[in-house]
Amino acid sequence: MAKAREHFADDAAGHERIRSIDDEVLLKVKIQRWRGAVWTDGDLPWLIAAGQREDGSPDDFYSALETAARAARAHYNANNRHPLGTTTYVGHLLPDQNDRDRYQLEAGARLVRTLAAAVQELARGSLHDGHEHAADFPAFRLGVLVRADDGHETYAAVRITGSVPDDLIAVILRHVPGCDPAAWYPEYALPSRPLLPAEQAWSTLMDPKAAAELLDDE
């Protein structure tokens, strides 16, 4: 699976078709003796079958895939009024709505983990020098500013440039360490400048102990 992700993430990589399958375009992925069949849905590749290469053996992945696909085609034609004109059928291997729903849920979980780590790292960097630290994401730019003075309250601000849904904003604010998720207030300016038209910002107070722990975690 790691090899498939790596191979299909590279736009310049060439892809070889599995010629024995003719009802769908399946592409090969190879690592050592392992072989996989990848079906693409737009820009999203799905690894739908895998096995080991055994030249000359009926257990060879490609041979077994073709045999199973021919049997599936015969079963389909025997149970449907409109028979397939292809020699194979792999429709039962393709992702269904449950698979797509799970992919969306897992993608959301990955994004939350990525955002949580990024927010913590930006906050740590800003604590070091008192300047805003920022990171770019596909649809927006995220900035975090933390200013702490000995004996005084610790100021924290989050800036977002771009279009971000409210639920994602809530995720970002919730993961700023040492800040009450319900205590963020919209801002119309940052300490050193007004906001630009495409920017949104919020501020609150960070627990000084959390700020010290954030620096100690390095």
Side-chain angles (χ1 to χ4, degrees), residues 32-96:
Q32 299 174 0
R33 290 178 59 190
W34 283 96
R35 301 292 183 266
V38 173
W39 177 81
T40 58
D41 182 10
D43 294 330
L44 183 62
W46 294 84
L47 181 66
I48 64 169
Q52 291 193 333
R53 184 70 162 140
E54 301 284 352
D55 282 323
S57 167
D59 294 328
D60 172 72
F61 169 66
Y62 297 124
S63 297
L65 179 65
E66 179 183 4
T67 299
R70 286 178 176 272
R73 180 257 188 191
H75 182 268
Y76 181 96
N77 283 356
N79 290 277
N80 289 272
R81 294 181 58 188
H82 302 289
L84 298 172
T86 58
T87 60
T88 61
Y89 176 65
V90 294
H92 58 294
L93 299 178
L94 302 185
D96 59 17

Side-chain angles (χ1 to χ4, degrees), residues 10-12 30 35 39 61 63 67 96 101 114 130 136 182 188 210:
D10 183 1
D11 293 336
K30 308 175 184 179
R35 301 292 183 266
W39 177 81
F61 169 66
S63 297
T67 299
D96 59 17
D101 290 345
T114 300
D136 289 315
Y188 300 96

Side-chain angles (χ1 to χ4, degrees), residues 134-196:
D136 289 315
F137 290 87
F140 64 95
R141 182 172 176 81
L142 171 65
V144 177
L145 173 63
V146 182
R147 290 185 173 177
D149 294 318
D150 290 339
H152 297 278
E153 295 173 325
T154 302
Y155 168 88
V158 169
R159 173 186 61 86
I160 295 175
T161 305
S163 178
V164 179
D166 290 344
D167 56 351
L168 192 57
I169 293 173
V171 168
I172 293 169
L173 299 180
R174 186 171 70 245
H175 283 91
V176 180
C179 296
D180 181 352
W184 290 93
Y185 295 96
E187 287 283 5
Y188 300 96
L190 294 172
S192 59
R193 65 172 178 83
L195 294 180
L196 299 175

